[in-house]
């Protein structure tokens, strides 16, 4: 359930899950790490974020994590949705490739792909749907949720 941050009871949480991109997990402490330090009752902290992640990977990680850990009433889940126009791919060697913005990367997308398939409006449509689906999924789970946008 998406909660009102003004009335949150931070003492009830036993597990703290965070999702996002480099704003959530990076080489130095992020908002997620700082908040974890303030949550004194939390027994387990799971930062499922990854640098350069887009909303496709974030939404997939939310579902995968729920299936593995079974979100419950004593869980706090916080999501910082990423910026639009990012390409996330699950590839053959069983890993995610996250390169950040489609127009700023050289990992696996060439200029032909960008010319033929990449359009800002298409990314907005995709990412708004992913965010809506992810928030709706979490709203129907048993945990408390705080969702933000970067």
């Amino acid at each position: 359930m998406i909660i009102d941050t003004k009335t949150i009871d931070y003492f009830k949480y036993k597990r703290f899950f965070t999702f996002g991109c480099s704003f959530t997990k990076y080489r130095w402490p992020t908002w997620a790490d700082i908040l974890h330090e303030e949550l004194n009752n939390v027994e387990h902290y799971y930062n499922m974020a990854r640098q350069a992640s887009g909303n496709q990977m974030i939404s997939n990680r939310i579902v995968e994590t729920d299936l593995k850990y079974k979100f419950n009433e004593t869980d706090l889940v916080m999501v910082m949705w990423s910026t639009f126009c990012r390409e996330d791919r699950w590839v053959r060697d069983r890993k995610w490739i996250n390169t950040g913005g489609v127009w700023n990367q050289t990992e696996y997308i060439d200029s032909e792909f960008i010319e033929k398939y990449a359009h800002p409006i298409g990314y907005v449509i995709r990412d708004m749907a992913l965010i809506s689906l992810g928030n709706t999924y979490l709203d129907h789970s048993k945990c408390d949720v705080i969702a933000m946008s970067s």
Side-chain angles (χ1 to χ4, degrees):
M1 151 172 68
I2 297 178
I3 56 174
D4 179 359
T5 56
K6 293 176 185 154
T7 60
I8 198 167
D9 176 12
Y10 289 105
F11 293 102
K12 79 175 196 176
Y13 302 115
K14 301 298 180 204
R15 299 187 302 179
F16 178 42
F17 296 87
T18 57
F19 300 88
C21 61
S22 59
F23 287 128
T24 306
K25 187 173 187 177
Y26 203 63
R27 289 176 276 194
W28 47 75
T30 66
W31 65 266
D33 304 312
I34 295 165
L35 186 54
H36 168 246
E37 291 298 318
E38 296 297 319
L39 295 171
N40 296 325
N41 287 6
V42 168
E43 298 167 7
H44 301 285
Y45 170 46
Y46 303 94
N47 190 332
M48 308 306 285
R50 184 168 169 193
Q51 290 175 225
S53 293
N55 295 313
Q56 181 167 326
M57 183 185 160
I58 294 168
S59 62
N60 277 284
R61 296 289 295 254
I62 289 168
V63 175
E64 292 167 0
T65 303
D66 181 31
L67 292 173
K68 181 175 180 177
Y69 293 100
K70 313 253 184 282
F71 295 150
N72 64 58
E73 297 85 358
T74 61
D75 292 338
L76 175 60
V77 173
M78 293 185 72
V79 182
M80 179 169 283
W81 294 103
S82 189
T83 57
F84 298 165
C85 304
R86 292 185 175 208
E87 281 287 333
D88 300 316
R89 302 267 174 187
W90 177 261
V91 294
R92 256 179 259 207
D93 52 353
R94 301 178 148 235
K95 68 177 183 178
W96 280 98
I97 294 178
N98 308 90
T99 60
V102 66
W103 289 280
N104 299 331
Q105 60 80 44
T106 57
E107 177 72 24
Y108 62 91
I109 299 176
D110 59 23
S111 59
E112 273 185 53
F113 177 95
I114 291 172
E115 182 65 32
K116 189 171 184 179
Y117 299 111
H119 193 282
I121 294 173
Y123 286 112
V124 169
I125 292 167
R126 181 202 65 188
D127 287 329
M128 292 301 293
L130 289 166
I131 291 168
S132 179
L133 287 167
N135 286 339
T136 300
Y137 179 88
L138 287 169
D139 194 36
H140 287 86
S141 67
K142 295 178 181 179
C143 61
D144 286 345
V145 178
I146 298 173
M148 307 168 281
S149 295
S150 61

